[in-house]
Amino acid sequence: MGGDKIRKDKRQKREDYRAAIRKEGVSELPRKKFYRQRAHANPFSDHQLIYPPHPDQMDWSSLYPDYVVDEPQEQQTPGPETPSDLDLAPLRPKRISKEVEVADIGCGFGGLLVALGPLMPDTLVLGLEIRVQVTQFVEDRIKALRVQDQEAKLYRNVGVLRANTMKFLPNFFRKGQLSKIFICFPDPHFKARKHKQRIVSTTLNSEYAYVLRPGGVVYTITDVPDLHEWMVQHFEAHPSFERVPEEEQEADTLVNVMRTETEEGKKVERNKGQKHVALFRRLEDPAW
Amino acid sequence: MILPFHLVKSCGGFVFAAQGSDIHTFSSALEHVSTWKYPAQPVDKPHEPSAETQSSPAPEGPPAKRRKVEDCQDSVSIGQPAESTNGKPKSKKAAQYDCPANERPFIQGLYATADGRHLIAITGADKTIWVFEHDLAATLTLTRSMPKRPCALALTTDNRTILSADKFGDVYALPLLPSSTSKSVENSTANQSSPRSTTSSIQTPSRSTTPSAKPFKPQADPLTVHTKRNLKALEAQKISLARREAILREQQQAANRPQFEHTLLLGHVSMLTAICVGTSSSVDGRPREYIITADRDEHIRVSRGVPQAHVIEGFCLGHEDFVSRLCVAPGGRAELLISGGGDDDLFVWDWLHGTLLGRAGVLEHVKEVAGHEAASKVALTRIFACRWEGVRVVVFVVVECVPALFQFELLEDNTLQHRETIPLPGNPLDMEAIETPGATPRLLVAVYPGEEGGSSLIPLDKEEAGWRLGRVENLPAGGDANIGDEELQKILYSTESLRKSSDFD
Ligand SMILES: C[S@@+](CC[C@H](N)C(=O)[O-])C[C@H]1O[C@@H](n2cnc3c(N)ncnc32)[C@H](O)[C@@H]1O
């Protein structure tokens, strides 16, 4: 019972802290210790996730407010207007002028996002993370960075969403919408019976291929040799992907960013661990 | 209690109806012809027709002493696939202990090939697919049984491949009939139709007989090959103790993998609820097959057919609750898909382009039957479409625990229009049309009779004055099953349990 009390106090403190940080205009960067969460969330269970039924119904305006298109309040559309037409288009969210093109799957605390933002200022970058608190941390981090960088207007192009990417990628992205997908230091799930929970599998790779445009690239990095092997084998075995040759890989500046800017990458650096990188290019679908 | 008929299927000029674990054969005039009973003992020689053809229609004694259905029924439908995904050990246990051969599991699905030559049944508790050959003269011969428990099946248009969709979200291709190259392996499993012996037979596998090693594959298939390559790679590395354990476990899993050809085609990370095959012509005008799959997380996915099933062509997105049924429209309207599930409406799609064409309310009509207060949601269990009077396409819909059929018409503009609600003396469990040349089809509905009892197999004929409910004379009585009403309902009404509860994380 005492433990309960302590836990409560701690939780209260966390909540107070996060409420303060979330106030508009706060430029203080959030501190991780107030956002910790159990390491794993089961990708098979339902959770209480919010996702649009269809990518057209996704409201991106709150994530990328600087890109909202000012539209005159939509006048009624001409043409045949039956009630069923209205039914079919229930939600018309505010439009933004660009589409997300780069996704960081399992973005964790957002190190990569924050590095990518200024590097590709004309591209919308989105982090996807299943853990609530961690997502909130990244959200607060982006908010604070935007306030700090009023002048340069940086970080307007990065956003984060809570999502289970193993189930709901097609709810957020249309076919061929993305040009890059990052999968950095994914949870290794060592035990064989947990391999089904791995974020790379031959069947899931079909979904990555679906949201990636031909020529688009999946970036992977891990410090676990087995997992590296696993990812390489599963992507290489998938007819929609080919591995990017090492030379080309090393010439890609983003590879280094991924090595050094991810939180996990930094951790591995501190522990003098190894980092295994592999890139895969989305091929054109064969004729059918 | 006497079990109701719960599945009906037309196949090659006959009608098959499942009652508990039995499959009864009827002529198209609905005269009972014979009955296939789930083998209480391991069947010795399934390849010899005489051993395996059905028993006489004469009533047999009460079957099992006791049916422990609770243990037998699958707990899959209870919503959370997460728990059960982690493992073979659990399913193995189920196969070995939960359902001794004398406790026959319910038939959970009946499918027929388009040519009427084969009937396929799924039994739940023992996780088996049964393939029967039908000689088009009422004789049903068990050809093979495979230890696999799909949630739903479909057949490719050439009638040669079963597409099996399971609760783990995966779709496998299984040849309807064993290919000649794998005959030897096939026999060793097919000979043992009881769940128990099947299990034992796959405990001593040899690597060479794993499906991936078979020459039959249309092309080197990445989805089965990788595990082997993987294993090799693992072996090549220095193996820590922990890893050695992992490998052992993986080998064990490989050992539990069924010893018949099966190829992983595609997968969702969600329980699959429905699967069907759609066709459309390609640029060069040849017909192309697509695999359409639906899951509990509101998705309808359209993948290319074999050998390009790894390519996702698109999604039909818009459902806001689980999808439980898919139906490609008949009558030259094959570009249309009708779907339904936990939503209040039916959806009509141009499935190849993922475009929603129309919605039609179901809940409003359910309310008229069940009362406006009582009915607040829909759990759709059947969408049955057929041609009507030549040109029209009508769609019948069954909603779980609602004693009526809802008839819609698919109009020229691709919308669905509610036409009629046909009240029934019990909750419909399944329905089928019996085609009679030239006339309007006759419907056959399996119902769970209401309080007053009554027949569980009801033919419906459309007449000038409305629908006439007929009778099937001399229905086989069916054994007295030791199962309570509540347990039975849990088995027969499992669709609502697909709905997500909104208050847990
Ligand atoms: C080990 S962390 C790596 C974080 C970050 N990419 C980095 O390199 O620092 C893996 C992250 O993936 C997230 N994750 C795991 N499964 C996920 C899923 N299905 N959808 C979204 N995120 C997921 C976990 O919550 C975790 O934060």
Side-chain angles (χ1 to χ4, degrees):
Chain A
M1 279 176 73
D4 249 18
K5 182 105 196 306
I6 291 166
R7 210 175 300 144
K8 213 172 238 149
D9 287 350
K10 223 172 169 177
R11 186 191 304 156
Q12 191 56 50
K13 231 161 105 187
R14 279 207 298 198
E15 270 160 24
D16 292 349
Y17 173 87
R18 299 206 305 243
I21 274 278
R22 290 175 75 80
K23 286 218 185 79
E24 286 309 318
V26 174
S27 65
E28 188 192 334
L29 285 173
R31 281 185 287 163
K32 265 195 213 162
K33 67 169 185 179
F34 294 110
Y35 298 83
R36 298 247 179 249
Q37 200 181 350
R38 223 159 51 97
H40 297 302
N42 186 334
F44 298 109
S45 44
D46 290 339
H47 303 285
Q48 277 190 305
L49 293 163
I50 299 166
Y51 48 88
H54 187 287
D56 285 353
Q57 282 159 261
M58 177 63 193
D59 185 357
W60 297 102
S61 63
S62 58
L63 285 173
Y64 304 102
D66 281 43
Y67 293 82
V68 172
V69 180
D70 276 328
E71 274 175 315
Q73 193 50 44
E74 208 169 293
Q75 296 300 310
Q76 74 207 46
T77 45
E81 236 197 283
T82 63
S84 74
D85 281 342
L86 297 175
D87 279 355
L88 298 185
L91 245 166
R92 270 287 139 81
K94 274 196 228 163
R95 286 206 305 122
I96 54 171
S97 59
K98 295 206 150 155
E99 290 194 325
V100 171
E101 252 186 69
V102 175
D104 181 6
I105 288 182
C107 68
F109 290 95
L112 180 68
L113 285 179
V114 164
L116 289 179
L119 275 178
M120 34 177 75
D122 297 325
T123 307
L124 295 193
V125 182
L126 180 71
L128 296 139
E129 171 54 53
I130 198 171
R131 289 184 291 168
V132 192
Q133 328 269 19
V134 178
T135 313
Q136 204 165 90
F137 172 90
V138 181
E139 216 174 274
D140 295 349
R141 185 175 181 181
I142 293 171
K143 234 186 226 162
L145 286 169
R146 284 179 185 174
V147 173
Q148 285 178 5
D149 282 279
Q150 296 283 14
E151 238 97 287
K153 292 215 170 255
L154 295 179
Y155 306 108
R156 307 302 197 260
N157 62 329
V158 292
V160 70
L161 262 184
R162 182 180 180 221
N164 179 354
T165 61
M166 290 172 73
K167 287 189 180 206
F168 298 112
L169 272 190
N171 292 69
F172 294 102
F173 307 121
R174 289 178 297 98
K175 184 177 187 172
Q177 180 175 336
L178 302 181
S179 62
K180 296 178 199 311
I181 292 178
F182 287 88
I183 303 177
C184 301
F185 300 96
D187 298 325
H189 298 292
F190 287 106
K191 295 177 182 156
R193 72 183 173 83
K194 288 231 166 165
H195 284 176
K196 261 216 91 98
Q197 291 199 22
R198 284 183 167 171
I199 208 142
V200 167
S201 69
T202 321
T203 55
L204 268 174
N205 289 356
S206 287
E207 290 200 29
Y208 299 136
Y210 170 78
V211 293
L212 261 187
R213 66 190 62 155
V217 174
V218 178
Y219 292 71
T220 71
I221 183 168
T222 176
D223 57 327
V224 181
D226 273 6
L227 184 60
H228 174 67
E229 278 294 310
W230 170 279
M231 293 197 288
V232 168
Q233 278 163 9
H234 283 73
F235 272 111
E236 281 190 335
H238 197 289
S240 298
F241 290 97
E242 71 175 8
R243 185 154 183 196
V244 173
E246 190 159 344
E247 217 173 299
E248 204 178 317
Q249 168 184 311
E250 293 310 312
D252 189 330
T253 49
L254 298 182
V255 167
N256 224 26
V257 177
M258 166 171 87
R259 279 205 181 98
T260 53
E261 300 297 329
T262 51
E263 267 80 14
E264 287 299 317
K266 289 180 179 147
K267 212 193 276 174
V268 174
E269 197 71 54
R270 284 197 296 277
N271 301 332
K272 306 238 178 319
Q274 276 190 1
K275 297 176 200 170
H276 305 273
V277 172
L279 273 52
F280 307 93
R281 182 172 294 111
R282 166 75 158 97
L283 300 170
E284 291 274 359
D285 287 331
W288 180 243
Chain B
M1 68 181 299
I2 303 296
L3 296 172
F5 288 83
H6 65 286
L7 295 170
V8 283
K9 196 83 219 165
S10 280
C11 173
F14 287 80
V15 178
F16 296 90
Q19 178 186 36
S21 55
D22 299 340
I23 301 173
H24 303 283
T25 308
F26 296 86
S27 69
S28 58
L30 295 180
E31 286 144 351
H32 180 229
V33 180
S34 57
T35 295
W36 177 80
K37 286 193 171 282
Y38 184 93
Q41 300 294 318
V43 181
D44 287 334
K45 292 174 192 134
H47 286 289
E48 286 178 32
S50 58
E52 191 44 40
T53 27
Q54 43 216 123
S55 55
S56 75
E60 290 188 351
K65 296 156 205 133
R66 193 174 58 92
R67 277 186 207 192
K68 220 169 112 207
V69 183
E70 198 169 32
D71 282 352
C72 292
Q73 83 151 302
D74 59 330
S75 50
V76 192
S77 42
I78 321 294
Q80 250 201 323
E83 297 293 301
S84 17
T85 32
N86 45 20
K88 305 279 174 169
K90 195 172 166 185
S91 48
K92 201 176 128 205
K93 182 181 155 246
Q96 278 188 321
Y97 311 114
D98 289 357
C99 280
N102 66 345
E103 294 176 353
R104 305 169 190 180
F106 265 63
I107 311 271
Q108 297 211 321
L110 271 187
Y111 302 83
T113 55
D115 60 10
R117 298 307 300 258
H118 291 93
L119 183 77
I120 302 155
I122 309 171
T123 44
D126 62 341
K127 302 180 179 64
T128 301
I129 297 176
W130 309 79
V131 178
F132 299 93
E133 199 178 312
H134 180 222
D135 65 357
L136 305 183
T139 314
L140 213 52
T141 312
L142 182 66
T143 332
R144 66 188 306 205
S145 62
M146 294 168 277
K148 196 145 198 63
R149 215 283 309 289
C151 297
L153 286 188
L155 285 144
T156 53
T157 38
D158 65 5
N159 291 317
R160 288 168 62 177
T161 305
I162 299 174
L163 303 171
S164 158
D166 65 30
K167 66 170 175 170
F168 303 115
D170 294 325
V171 175
Y172 288 90
L174 322 163
L176 179 72
L177 302 174
S179 61
S180 49
T181 45
S182 63
K183 203 90 182 177
S184 57
V185 182
E186 200 53 51
N187 283 343
S188 70
T189 26
N191 273 337
Q192 298 159 4
S193 323
S194 98
R196 190 179 264 164
S197 42
T198 311
T199 312
S200 67
S201 81
I202 53 177
Q203 275 165 350
T204 51
S206 67
R207 276 241 132 233
S208 63
T209 56
T210 53
S212 54
K214 295 228 184 75
F216 173 81
K217 286 287 136 39
Q219 59 171 54
D221 188 85
L223 304 149
T224 37
V225 170
H226 67 76
T227 39
K228 231 186 129 188
R229 258 166 83 191
N230 210 20
L231 259 178
K232 239 208 223 133
L234 279 172
E235 279 159 10
Q237 295 180 17
K238 280 190 217 101
I239 301 169
S240 70
L241 200 76
R243 253 206 269 142
R244 189 169 300 160
E245 260 169 34
I247 287 173
L248 262 177
R249 230 168 293 131
E250 192 156 325
Q251 278 167 351
Q252 246 158 37
Q253 284 197 359
N256 283 342
R257 234 168 267 152
Q259 298 294 296
F260 52 88
E261 291 176 37
H262 70 308
T263 311
L264 179 59
L265 295 182
L266 61 102
H268 300 215
V269 180
S270 176
M271 177 200 279
L272 290 178
T273 51
I275 181 167
C276 67
V277 169
T279 43
S280 180
S281 51
S282 72
V283 259
D284 58 13
R286 278 179 301 161
R288 285 293 182 207
E289 222 163 274
Y290 294 84
I291 302 169
I292 310 176
T293 40
D295 70 29
R296 189 176 158 256
D297 289 299
E298 309 97 28
H299 299 117
I300 299 171
R301 181 193 288 192
V302 179
S303 307
R304 291 182 181 179
V306 178
Q308 286 191 34
H310 63 275
V311 177
I312 300 177
E313 206 58 58
F315 288 86
C316 298
L317 298 177
H319 277 283
E320 296 187 41
D321 217 308
F322 65 85
V323 183
S324 53
R325 285 282 155 175
L326 298 174
C327 173
V328 173
R333 313 282 291 276
E335 75 282 6
L336 302 181
L337 176 77
I338 305 161
S339 64
D343 283 317
D344 297 348
D345 297 351
L346 285 168
F347 288 55
V348 184
W349 307 91
D350 168 354
W351 55 265
L352 189 53
H353 301 100
T355 334
L356 180 57
L357 300 175
R359 296 171 65 147
V362 176
L363 180 62
E364 56 204 82
H365 305 293
V366 168
K367 282 178 185 286
E368 278 160 23
V369 177
H372 285 259
E373 248 79 284
S376 62
K377 49 193 170 190
V378 168
L380 202 133
T381 60
R382 290 290 183 275
I383 301 175
F384 182 89
C386 59
R387 290 178 81 137
W388 205 259
E389 292 162 355
V391 282
R392 295 164 62 203
V393 172
V394 296
V395 179
F396 294 91
V397 168
V398 176
V399 176
E400 194 159 87
C401 297
V402 179
L405 287 182
F406 302 94
Q407 188 197 342
F408 292 79
E409 181 166 349
L410 185 59
L411 304 178
E412 283 304 320
D413 66 357
N414 299 333
T415 54
L416 278 175
Q417 176 99 47
H418 177 260
R419 287 288 183 219
E420 196 174 352
T421 296
I422 308 161
L424 293 171
N427 295 334
L429 301 171
D430 195 9
M431 65 170 295
E432 179 64 299
I434 305 169
E435 300 284 344
T436 34
T440 49
R442 179 174 213 201
L443 301 185
L444 183 62
V445 187
V447 300
Y448 193 166
E451 317 264 88
E452 317 81 53
S455 174
S456 150
L457 208 52
I458 302 175
L460 287 177
D461 292 288
K462 177 81 175 173
E463 297 180 344
E464 290 284 305
W467 290 92
R468 188 173 57 82
L469 273 61
R471 261 187 73 81
V472 179
E473 304 295 335
N474 306 318
L475 264 188
D480 189 9
N482 183 12
I483 178 171
D485 219 28
E486 206 176 301
E487 280 172 293
L488 185 59
Q489 295 196 13
K490 239 163 69 188
I491 294 175
L492 299 177
Y493 304 138
S494 58
T495 306
E496 177 59 35
S497 68
L498 293 170
R499 205 181 301 274
K500 294 175 190 174
S501 59
S502 46
D503 54 10
F504 79 104
D505 196 334

